[in-house]
Each structure stands twice: as structure tokens, then as C-alpha cells.
Amino acid sequence: MFDLIIVGAGIAGMTAAIYAKRAGLNVLVLERVMQGGQIINAQMIENWPGDFGISGVDLSNKIYHQMNKLGAKVEFDNVLAIENMGKSGNERFLVKSEDGEYSCGAIIVATGTEPRKLSDKQAKDAGRRPVSYCATCDGALYKGRTVVVVGSGNTAKHEMKYLEGICKKVYHIHHDDPIPADAEAVFVAIGRVPETGFLGNLVNLNSEGYIVAGEDCKTSCAGVFAAGDCRAKDLRQLVTAAADGAAAAEAAASFLRGKNS
Ligand SMILES: Cc1cc2nc3c(=O)[nH]c(=O)nc-3n(C[C@H](O)[C@H](O)[C@H](O)COP(=O)(O)OP(=O)(O)OC[C@H]3O[C@@H](n4cnc5c(N)ncnc54)[C@H](O)[C@@H]3O)c2cc1C
């Protein structure tokens, strides 16, 4: 049994692991894809203090290395559900994943957000054409070809600009417009949604699915903490994700000390 399980190895989850290890906890981090989370899609970061112009991948690898050096255990596994098996004052959680089950005394949910998917109508329209959520990652595959960007916000504008430098033609359409017949790939930029569906009724979520928790990262369930972009808050950035990771780990350590005293 672990003291603490952290779900998600984005910037919030990895920072939480660093603080939790330094607080002497036995920590397991569960990550379903790879370390770093969404920032691995950023080519250059200009607002992470102390490292101007670093790429998202390099920043993630540096933090991952630091977390490993401090002794956090990492498993690449997809968490499907969390159950509260204990009683009030003696909470114990069972984390069910694709590869098995793990138990722990406290949890930090740091699962971030994922890109919003195409509407059913547009997905049907897109048919078998490739759908991407990242022009920087996949744009080069469509060099000299015709693509379409779906979305109306700043991210969509950024994707358009990037693809216009590579592709022969870039259509720009809005959510629910028909996909042009000659577009060979679809780039989607219609916002992001929180990765919280697997929590069921374990904690309170707001109407958009973000976890309701204050600056102390405490959720409605004792022993469960929320950190990073999956938490209901105003500013979703690297520094706020890292700050949440630190606050959540401190709150979890204090919670576990209270149970064991
Ligand atoms: C293209 C792009 C550029 C950006 N540029 C900047 C920038 O320059 N400066 C800045 O401050 N911010 C930037 N941001 C925002 C920043 O990346 C986020 O605010 C921050 O990375 C959020 O970190 P997080 O750890 O909360 O979540 P995420 O990065 O979303 O990490 C969550 C992790 O949890 C994992 N996960 C999810 N569900 C499960 C599950 N069920 N089981 C196991 N693992 C799971 C995911 O795989 C992921 O690795 C950018 C975002 C994007 C997309």
C-alpha cells in the first residue's frame, strides 16, 4: 500500500511527487501516456521562470528526472476508477487501472485536460480522414497538401498560421460547419475539457466537469486532492499547475500525518 498515489504525470503531478517525496511519503505516480502532459506540444516556452525558450519536451524531461532522482515510483498505466474503501478518519483508496489495482491512504488527481473532440456531425463528415489536435506535432505530414482547421479561438488562429507556412491550402471553419470535401486532414482547435470522467461521484465537479477545490487543493472527499488544470480555477498555466502540485502534496502529507497520529 502506498501513502499517496498521484494520477497524471503532467507538470502538476510531477511537482506534487517532488514535494511528496521530500515530505517523506511513499509515492506512486500513474501516467497513461508519457510524462509532461499537454506541454509536450509546445515548441517554445517563454513564461517558465528561469528557462527562457525551453521546449515543452525538455522542460518535462528535466522535471521527470528530478522526480525520479527523489525516488518517486512511476507506472505507465491508465486509471479507470477510484473507490473510497475506508471509513471517515481512516480513509483508504483503491485505484483501479487498465493493468491492475493499487491502494493508498491519499490521492492527488492531476489529470489535466484533453482537446475537445469534433461534434458527431463533423466527425461523420471527416470520415476516414486523419484528425489531429496539434499542428506543430502533425503539420509536417501534410506539407504541400490541403487541410482544414476547425475552431474560432486563439489556438485555432495559431494553428492556421503554422499550417499556412507548410500546406498548399488551409481552410478555416467553425464548430459544426461542413468539412470541405478536398481537405486531406482535419486539425481541431475547439478548446479543452477536463479529464475527470473516471472519478464518477467520488468528488464534486462543477458544471463543466472541473474538480471543485480551493487553493489548498482539498476536494469534497477527505484524502482526495486536485492539482493543475483539472481543478476549477481562473488561470491554467505551467506555474499554476506547479503551484497546485506543491499545495496538494503539502495538504496530502498533512492529511496523512493527521490519520497516523
Ligand atoms: C500547445 C500548448 C502550449 C502551451 N504553452 C504554454 C506556455 O507557453 N506557458 C504556460 O504556462 N502554459 C502553457 N500551456 C498550458 C500548460 O501546458 C498547462 O497549463 C499545464 O501543462 C497543465 O499541467 P497539468 O499537469 O495540470 O495537466 P496536463 O499537462 O494535462 O497533464 C495531465 C496528465 O495526466 C494524464 N492522465 C489523464 N488522465 C489520466 C488517467 N485516467 N490515468 C493516468 N493518467 C492520466 C495525462 O496523460 C497527462 O499526462 C500550453 C498548453 C498547450 C496545449
Side-chain angles (χ1 to χ4, degrees):
M1 166 150 162
F2 292 89
D3 296 328
L4 175 66
I5 290 182
I6 298 168
V7 188
I11 301 306
M14 293 196 290
T15 308
I18 288 169
Y19 273 74
K21 282 309 295 177
R22 284 172 49 81
L25 301 182
N26 175 15
V27 179
L28 173 66
V29 181
L30 295 172
E31 164 57 51
R32 73 168 173 210
V33 186
M34 66 178 283
Q35 69 271 16
Q38 52 185 286
I39 199 59
I40 61 172
N41 297 314
Q43 275 188 326
M44 199 208 280
I45 302 162
E46 297 189 342
N47 58 1
W48 177 259
D51 242 334
F52 184 85
I54 190 169
S55 74
V57 168
D58 286 348
L59 176 66
S60 302
N61 287 342
K62 278 172 100 170
I63 301 175
Y64 185 67
H65 179 64
Q66 185 176 351
M67 178 184 87
N68 279 329
K69 229 175 165 176
L70 287 165
K73 185 175 163 56
V74 185
E75 294 283 354
F76 288 93
D77 198 353
N78 183 24
V79 173
L80 303 173
I82 300 174
E83 284 175 25
N84 185 354
M85 310 291 285
K87 300 191 203 100
S88 174
N90 187 25
E91 284 79 9
R92 191 168 62 81
F93 299 94
L94 185 68
V95 177
K96 296 184 173 175
S97 67
E98 245 161 46
D99 292 347
E101 293 185 348
Y102 313 83
S103 64
C104 61
I107 304 257
I108 295 177
V109 181
T111 45
T113 58
E114 64 169 351
R116 191 186 297 279
K117 303 282 186 300
L118 285 176
S119 66
D120 289 348
K121 181 170 155 272
Q122 279 184 327
K124 200 170 158 209
D125 231 14
R128 288 170 172 265
R129 285 178 280 187
V131 174
S132 168
Y133 297 89
C134 174
T136 316
C137 315
D138 301 328
L141 299 173
Y142 303 99
K143 190 173 174 193
R145 295 163 75 182
T146 299
V147 301
V148 57
V149 173
V150 185
S152 13
N154 285 339
T155 311
K157 283 185 200 139
H158 172 272
E159 301 290 79
M160 282 286 299
K161 210 169 156 203
Y162 186 87
L163 291 166
E164 277 166 358
I166 300 173
C167 302
K168 182 176 76 185
K169 180 165 179 59
V170 184
Y171 288 103
H172 181 204
I173 64 169
H174 298 285
H175 192 43
D176 261 9
D177 289 346
I179 308 259
D182 61 333
E184 294 165 272
V186 183
F187 284 83
V188 185
I190 47 177
R192 303 186 68 88
V193 289
E195 291 259 18
T196 53
F198 71 98
L199 293 171
N201 296 322
L202 183 72
V203 297
N204 288 347
L205 307 178
N206 72 10
S207 58
E208 294 174 312
Y210 289 95
I211 302 171
V212 177
E215 293 294 310
D216 58 7
C217 298
K218 290 182 184 168
T219 69
S220 56
C221 177
V224 181
F225 304 86
D229 281 15
C230 62
R231 181 170 80 82
K233 59 178 175 178
D234 293 335
L235 183 63
R236 293 193 173 86
Q237 287 280 282
L238 294 168
V239 289
T240 59
D244 275 10
E250 287 296 300
S254 160
F255 171 80
L256 290 165
R257 276 195 299 273
K259 270 206 315 185
N260 296 332
S261 61

